């Protein structure tokens, strides 16, 4: 599925997605520099990094650095708002993607993802993103 999406992206845009991700990450970096304490800005950068990691893995490249950067951003967002359980969803999704890529410690990654989705479900039992994530983990 991911391989097909990568091929579609390249065909549609006629460019290496790293260029778009690079621009997105630069914009996120600048936003965080201007307002470092806003969790949403860190989760936005985490999502861009995770998508870059997915793209790299689909191309047969190593996405570990992107996934680790995304996890760091998610952790930072949670540190700013530890009571906001919804912030666990992006981290859970990143952990799932890292595990699916063959990341080291796959079982540990999945266990951590499950804990994040459980925490998010505790806050909102009807969250489709959390319920779906937990089902996958």
């Amino acid at each position: 599925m991911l391989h097909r999406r990568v091929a579609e992206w390249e065909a549609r845009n006629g460019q290496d997605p790293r260029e778009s991700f690079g621009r997105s990450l630069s914009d996120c970096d600048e936003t965080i520099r201007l307002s470092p304490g806003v969790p949403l800005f860190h989760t936005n950068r985490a999502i861009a990094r995770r998508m870059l990691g997915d793209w790299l893995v689909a191309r047969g490249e190593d996405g570990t650095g992107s996934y680790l950067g995304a996890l760091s951003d998610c952790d930072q967002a949670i540190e700013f708002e530890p009571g906001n359980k919804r912030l666990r969803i992006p981290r859970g999704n990143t952990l799932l993607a890292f595990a699916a890529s063959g990341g080291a410690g796959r079982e540990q990654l999945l266990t951590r993802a499950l804990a994040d989705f459980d925490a998010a479900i505790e806050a909102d039992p009807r969250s489709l993103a959390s319920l779906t994530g937990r089902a996958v983990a």
Side-chain angles (χ1 to χ4, degrees):
M1 173 80 165
L2 185 58
H3 297 282
R4 189 180 83 235
R5 287 189 298 181
V6 169
E8 289 170 357
W9 170 281
E10 291 172 336
R12 184 174 56 246
N13 294 304
Q15 66 179 6
D16 186 329
R18 277 181 276 218
E19 292 176 29
S20 289
F21 288 124
R23 285 191 301 273
S24 294
L25 289 170
S26 292
D27 290 345
C28 289
D29 290 342
E30 180 64 10
T31 303
I32 289 169
R33 188 187 70 74
L34 294 171
S35 300
V38 180
L40 176 64
F41 299 157
H42 291 272
T43 57
N44 285 346
R45 184 169 67 183
I47 291 166
R49 285 179 168 171
R50 186 187 76 229
M51 291 173 66
L52 175 58
D54 290 346
W55 183 82
L56 290 169
V57 168
R59 299 279 302 186
E61 299 178 39
D62 185 9
T64 300
S66 293
Y67 291 129
L68 291 175
L71 288 172
S72 176
D73 283 332
C74 290
D75 290 343
Q76 187 70 51
I78 291 167
E79 187 176 304
F80 287 130
E81 269 188 58
N84 185 347
K85 306 271 185 183
R86 290 180 306 232
L87 292 173
R88 304 289 183 101
I89 297 168
R91 186 171 70 181
N93 285 330
T94 300
L95 290 162
L96 284 178
F98 195 13
S101 78
R106 183 176 187 278
E107 290 302 316
Q108 182 183 15
L109 293 169
L110 291 173
T111 299
R112 288 180 58 201
L114 186 60
D116 278 340
F117 292 124
D118 284 343
I121 289 168
E122 181 182 304
D124 181 3
R126 299 184 70 168
S127 167
L128 294 179
S130 302
L131 291 167
T132 302
R134 184 170 72 179
V136 172

